[in-house]
Amino acid sequence: MAEYPAPYLIEFPKLGAADIGYISVGENAKDPLPFAVQRVFWTYHTPESILRGRHAHHRTEQVLLAVAGRIIVTTEQANGDIRIFRLEDPFVGLYVPPCVWHTMQYSHTAVQLALASQPYEEADYIRDFQEFRQRWAPHR
């Protein structure tokens, strides 16, 4: 089984100024994106009481960004390492490698942009936490 890095924050360039606004860019051929983007999706109007995500991926890598509002992302690695990330700056993303269980909780104004390394494929998802733990148990 491949070894993946721990989830980590990525700061995208923040170009512009307060008086005219900002733009941030991620390009496949340049940092800070750690993979070629194959799929883009976004979530919005998620009630604050809802916990989304609750899965891991076999192969897919993701970068999650809060382009509006705040998103609390909790990650758990195969070795049991749990980390909590607060995304609230639109130029800061969270890299989530494969084999990492992740959940997200949103502020009522949050819009999450997700950049994924793979097209959607249901077989890539591990949606049962016990299955995730069993799958990666040898690494605990």
Side-chain angles (χ1 to χ4, degrees):
M1 178 182 337
E3 290 293 322
Y4 297 102
Y8 61 87
L9 294 174
I10 296 172
E11 190 166 318
F12 289 85
K14 181 179 176 185
L15 309 169
D19 60 332
I20 61 168
Y22 298 93
I23 182 173
S24 291
V25 178
E27 296 182 60
N28 284 337
K30 300 178 184 177
D31 288 336
L33 288 173
F35 55 82
V37 176
Q38 297 295 313
R39 179 169 55 118
V40 176
F41 60 95
W42 49 97
T43 57
Y44 49 94
H45 296 167
T46 304
E48 289 191 34
S49 60
I50 299 298
L51 193 62
R52 295 198 56 151
R54 297 185 292 193
H55 63 268
H57 293 278
H58 291 284
R59 294 187 344 261
T60 300
E61 302 169 78
Q62 295 181 324
V63 172
L64 307 177
L65 296 112
V67 294
R70 172 201 29 82
I71 304 168
I72 304 297
V73 183
T74 303
T75 64
E76 181 171 340
Q77 291 179 257
N79 66 6
D81 181 36
I82 296 173
R83 296 183 184 186
I84 299 173
F85 299 90
R86 183 181 180 102
L87 301 178
E88 56 191 343
D89 292 313
F91 61 93
V92 177
L94 173 63
Y95 172 70
V96 180
C99 314
V100 171
W101 189 265
H102 53 287
T103 60
M104 291 83 67
Q105 188 166 22
Y106 303 81
S107 68
H108 71 283
T109 60
V111 177
Q112 176 186 270
L113 177 65
L115 310 174
S117 67
Q118 302 289 320
Y120 175 81
E121 182 181 341
E122 181 58 33
D124 185 50
Y125 285 73
I126 302 172
R127 297 187 184 276
D128 179 87
F129 187 69
Q130 293 311 314
E131 179 185 341
F132 165 77
R133 291 196 122 180
Q134 289 172 355
R135 169 90 167 98
W136 308 115
H139 296 276
R140 292 187 79 116

